[in-house]
Amino acid sequence: MPTILEKVVYTARAHTTGGREGSSRSDDGMLDVKLSPPKAMGGSGNATNPEQLFAAGYSACFMGAMKHVAGMKKIAVPADASIDAEVDIGPIPAGFGIAARLNVSLPGMDRAVAQDLVDTAHKVCPYSNATRGNIEVTITVV
């Protein structure tokens, strides 16, 4: 059963033409990218691709979720915290699927505190909630 939003606080809008060999632009013009399949998929690799955009979006959203949770727990996210995101694409019986990995670096933070922060952020992050049970997601504190 899908999760129903209690209230819409923001709607992102993008217009895409040409699919993987096209372009995508947000309604406010802040995002304006050319798209190209990666070389590994037979493309030129001379532009971004949907998997890179997903990796950037998920990792940015997850960092936001960690900061939100840290505020609730009254702890600080290290200023040099970072997330390296990897998004795989490959065949599945019904077509193609993706898998995601987030490698979270929280320098100087106690390991148990960092793991609790990441586990709780995974429960509140919109990308985590959207992907849960749909794709393989691995989140590791490095």
Side-chain angles (χ1 to χ4, degrees):
M1 180 168 197
T3 302
I4 306 300
L5 299 178
E6 294 174 12
K7 175 183 170 185
V8 175
V9 295
Y10 171 73
T11 300
R13 292 179 177 85
H15 179 77
T16 301
T17 58
R20 286 185 172 272
E21 296 175 345
S23 63
S24 190
R25 185 176 194 279
S26 61
D27 63 339
D28 62 4
M30 296 303 293
L31 176 73
D32 191 354
V33 295
K34 290 185 182 341
L35 301 168
S36 174
K39 288 182 180 182
M41 293 177 64
S44 66
N46 64 357
T48 194
N49 60 66
E51 292 71 35
Q52 289 173 328
L53 294 171
F54 190 87
Y58 197 169
S59 58
C61 189
F62 198 85
M63 182 70 75
M66 287 193 317
K67 289 179 177 182
H68 173 77
V69 169
M72 291 174 28
K73 293 179 176 279
K74 300 194 182 334
I75 58 175
V77 172
D80 54 351
S82 63
I83 300 174
D84 290 320
E86 300 172 315
V87 174
D88 303 321
I89 184 170
I92 60 172
F96 290 90
I98 61 172
R101 289 178 302 286
L102 300 180
N103 297 303
V104 181
S105 174
L106 297 162
M109 185 175 275
D110 176 81
R111 182 78 176 188
V113 172
Q115 189 65 57
D116 180 64
L117 176 64
V118 165
D119 291 346
T120 307
H122 190 43
K123 293 176 184 172
V124 303
C125 174
Y127 275 68
S128 292
N129 287 330
T131 59
R132 187 171 291 110
N134 296 310
I135 69 168
E136 183 180 5
V137 174
T138 304
I139 303 176
T140 306
V141 177
V142 294

